[in-house]
Amino acid sequence: MADSLYAIVGGSSGIGLALAHKLTARGNKVLLGGRSEGKLNAAVEQLGPLAEGKTVDITDRDSLKAFFSGSATLTGLFTPAASYSTGNFRDGDIATSEGLFQAKFWAQYWAVYEALPYLQESAAVVLMSGAASARPIGAPAYAACNAALEGLARGLAVELNPIRVNCLSPGTTDSELWRNRDAAQRESAYQYWNSLALVGRPASVQEQAASALFLLDNGNMTGSTLYCDGGYTLR
């Protein structure tokens, strides 16, 4: 267990970094990927000698190949990285439709592909979608992208067996992403979410990271989607 190595593509902040803290705290090594060298260096400094960081552009297959190149054997892979915009179908905006799929679906698809030669036979992969897959509120391309990722997890679980592949589907999470936004916009979004979720609040990054860790560790979970959404999809 102590020699286990986990790759987190999108590990310099948010849920990915919270997971990295949980892994290193129990003695695992982590390989973090992110776009910003500065944020990666700061994350590695936080995590200590069990962490390594490499820059990666998740929308570029050559960059993903270079990220995994030379890696030791991987026990697990988590792919929370994504930077995208959402919009209405009627807008006909390429960025919020095809561009969204490029940044979120295809990025994770090719990340798993490039990691495959380094994954041990008993490895676990955790993709990340979003609760809009099951309960969309506008932005149909976003809902479709998340649903596609959950379908991808099921398909990969069958083809890559005995490697386990699951998907984490979070709801609104009180993360660095939201905290860096305008306070009025953030509070408005949180209040709306509170009215939709059964628990009446956003998740924490620690709760989401705990869910990802469960999917990495549980040897009987594969092809499943775990909704850490506070009951949002039930309303």
Side-chain angles (χ1 to χ4, degrees):
M1 193 74 166
D3 293 330
S4 298
L5 173 64
Y6 293 83
I8 305 175
V9 183
S12 61
S13 64
I15 299 169
L17 180 56
L19 174 63
H21 276 286
K22 291 182 182 298
L23 291 167
T24 56
R26 69 183 195 181
N28 300 144
K29 298 175 183 177
V30 292
L31 172 61
L32 307 181
R35 291 176 300 172
S36 166
E37 186 174 2
K39 289 181 70 174
L40 278 172
N41 290 341
V44 169
E45 187 174 352
Q46 284 182 42
L47 294 164
L50 293 176
E52 176 189 359
K54 293 174 69 174
T55 57
V56 63
D57 178 355
I58 60 170
T59 64
D60 185 303
R61 283 187 62 185
D62 289 337
S63 182
L64 285 165
K65 182 187 286 289
F67 173 75
F68 291 107
S69 178
S71 173
T73 301
L74 295 171
T75 303
L77 169 66
F78 181 42
T79 58
S83 179
Y84 52 84
S85 300
T86 63
N88 296 324
F89 178 80
R90 287 186 174 88
D91 294 340
D93 188 343
I94 295 294
T96 60
S97 52
E98 294 179 25
L100 187 154
F101 266 81
Q102 184 66 36
K104 189 166 187 179
F105 176 84
W106 289 113
Q108 294 187 68
Y109 182 102
W110 293 119
V112 177
Y113 180 84
E114 298 299 345
L116 192 56
Y118 306 95
L119 293 171
Q120 66 184 38
E121 189 175 77
S122 59
V125 174
V126 178
L127 307 177
M128 195 163 86
S129 60
S133 62
R135 188 186 173 192
I137 302 177
Y142 179 66
C145 181
N146 287 312
L149 282 161
E150 294 168 14
L152 177 63
R154 292 190 291 272
L156 290 177
V158 173
E159 181 172 337
L160 302 185
N161 170 54
I163 293 172
R164 295 183 299 104
V165 185
N166 293 290
C167 192
L168 172 62
S169 185
T172 295
T173 302
D174 184 24
S175 65
E176 180 181 315
L177 176 68
W178 278 106
R179 291 177 186 178
N180 288 337
R181 293 179 178 174
D182 176 76
Q185 179 192 24
R186 180 177 64 250
E187 290 310 311
S188 175
Y190 282 6
Q191 286 178 19
Y192 182 55
W193 177 261
N194 295 348
S195 72
L196 299 174
L198 294 178
V199 300
R201 63 169 178 84
S204 69
V205 291
Q206 294 298 327
E207 288 169 326
Q208 300 294 358
S211 298
L213 186 61
F214 167 76
L215 292 174
L216 287 171
D217 282 353
N218 192 306
N220 199 44
M221 292 286 291
T222 193
S224 295
T225 297
L226 178 58
Y227 292 94
C228 188
D229 66 350
Y232 163 80
T233 54
L234 300 177
R235 293 289 287 269

